[in-house]
Amino acid sequence: NDLTIAFIMYRSLHPLVKWILYLQIAVSQVDALIPATPMEQTSRAIKSIRDVIDQRIASKTPRRLYIDYLIPLPPETVAADIDPWPGGLAQMYPYAEKIITDVLSGVVEDPGNLSSQILSPQDCCGFFVQESKASPERDVAAILFPSVDQLEKIDEIDRMVGKDRTLLIFNRQFKRPEDFGFRKKDRSQQVVFDRFEWGFAFQEFACRGEDVKLNFELGHGGWKSCVICDEDVDAGAKEFALLEPSFDRPVYEDLERRINKVLPEPLWMRKMGEAETKGLKFQRGKK
């Protein structure tokens, strides 16, 4: 798809060229509901993370941030694929490693050396540190793909990074304290959920059968939500904003109620209407 092609092209660009493009995209796409390309997603992630870091430095509070980055599908993906990532996190890791490297180098002021190591080969969990030539306090560390099994490692790294430097949790494999089980629920609340806040997110899921996207950016008022309608091939994909921006993540029930107002007809009914009006897709264009 177009996102995959764009991702392959931008990976080969010189870092300076990437940064110029990121700045241009950040300015030109400031009003877009969601990122349209991987490059735009990266530029918006960098800006939002920087905004949160600067805000926390000003308030003299720890910089502990969640990042949810929507990784583009691999180039070999076709429409018939049931699972575009049959290799799971092991298949995703090389793509995510490149993405997190670009994000860290964009976030850090005057970036210097970048170091990385594998924390858990079984869980495909990695650790990255982007140093800053300007000041050690501007260094940014990131844990990639941490699972519930890395709870104590997260706490260890948190203490190692210290309160004056930034730590990111990038594409975590857990969502709530209950994911850690009864015995570690309270411990996870203390180590993770009480310390970390959102720095950037681009998420997608199905709600009432519709393609819903959520995007968190500090400079855009927090969480934004929209539904993507692409059943009409001739008209192309359309975005419909759902809820008003909020610093509280939208809940499923509120999104569903709003979708019922914005799109009263369900997806299957709209597709039937299109077929009746324009004919079946394979018949279109025929005399």
Side-chain angles (χ1 to χ4, degrees):
N1 58 27
D2 293 341
L3 284 177
T4 299
I5 295 172
F7 177 63
I8 295 171
M9 293 177 63
Y10 102 94
R11 286 182 65 184
S12 62
L13 295 175
H14 187 278
L16 179 59
V17 176
K18 288 182 184 178
W19 180 238
I20 293 173
L21 289 172
Y22 294 156
L23 291 176
Q24 292 176 336
I25 291 171
V27 173
S28 62
Q29 301 291 338
V30 68
D31 293 324
L33 286 174
I34 61 172
T37 66
M39 194 181 302
E40 184 185 341
Q41 184 180 183
T42 298
S43 71
R44 290 169 67 162
I46 289 171
K47 184 180 185 307
S48 184
I49 296 168
R50 278 189 158 193
D51 287 345
V52 178
I53 290 174
D54 290 342
Q55 189 180 80
R56 294 296 165 263
I57 289 176
S59 62
K60 297 182 180 180
T61 53
R63 287 101 70 187
R64 300 292 185 265
L65 310 178
Y66 298 122
I67 310 300
D68 265 13
Y69 190 105
L70 189 59
I71 300 175
L73 297 179
E76 61 272 17
T77 302
V78 295
D81 286 344
I82 298 176
D83 182 4
W85 300 103
L89 294 180
Q91 183 184 0
M92 289 185 186
Y93 196 94
Y95 297 90
E97 184 176 31
K98 178 61 179 174
I99 290 167
I100 199 170
T101 298
D102 288 340
V103 170
L104 290 176
S105 64
V107 169
V108 171
E109 180 183 350
D110 196 8
N113 294 328
L114 172 72
S115 59
S116 65
Q117 66 182 89
I118 301 296
L119 296 179
S120 172
Q122 297 84 1
D123 296 324
C124 300
C125 178
F127 178 56
F128 299 77
V129 177
Q130 175 64 70
E131 298 178 6
S132 171
K133 296 177 184 178
S135 168
E137 294 184 0
R138 285 288 184 170
D139 294 351
V140 177
I143 307 173
L144 174 63
F145 294 152
S147 72
V148 295
D149 294 328
Q150 277 77 56
L151 179 59
E152 296 308 320
K153 182 60 70 173
I154 293 173
D155 187 43
E156 177 187 336
I157 290 174
D158 181 274
R159 287 184 276 108
M160 179 192 71
V161 169
K163 63 181 180 64
D164 293 327
R165 294 193 293 178
T166 301
L167 175 61
L168 312 178
I169 286 183
F170 202 98
N171 285 26
R172 57 184 175 153
Q173 300 303 297
F174 52 84
K175 301 299 181 185
R176 54 185 187 159
E178 287 77 10
D179 294 338
F180 290 82
F182 178 75
R183 290 191 298 175
K184 294 185 177 181
K185 176 183 175 182
D186 292 341
R187 174 68 173 158
S188 70
Q189 185 71 47
Q190 175 190 8
V191 171
V192 179
F193 298 98
D194 287 345
R195 299 180 187 177
F196 286 78
E197 62 179 319
W198 284 105
F200 173 82
F202 185 28
Q203 305 168 348
E204 65 177 358
F205 58 93
C207 181
R208 207 205 67 177
E210 305 289 349
D211 181 14
V212 172
K213 302 282 196 283
L214 298 182
N215 182 215
F216 178 90
E217 294 172 85
L218 182 64
H220 286 201
W223 288 97
K224 293 187 300 182
S225 55
C226 72
V227 61
I228 308 298
C229 297
D230 58 1
E231 65 273 6
D232 190 332
V233 178
D234 299 328
K238 294 182 179 180
E239 296 180 6
F240 294 94
L242 295 175
L243 305 176
E244 290 296 319
S246 170
F247 284 97
D248 294 324
R249 187 180 184 277
V251 298
Y252 185 95
E253 293 76 13
D254 291 341
L255 290 168
E256 186 176 35
R257 281 193 291 269
R258 183 58 182 165
I259 289 173
N260 289 336
K261 292 182 179 180
V262 175
L263 298 170
E265 292 185 346
L267 180 60
W268 65 267
M269 189 178 295
R270 300 200 303 274
K271 286 186 174 181
M272 285 185 60
E274 182 193 17
E276 292 175 359
T277 304
K278 301 180 180 180
L280 299 174
K281 291 181 180 179
F282 70 89
Q283 294 177 325
R284 296 176 193 176
K286 294 183 178 181
K287 300 288 186 180

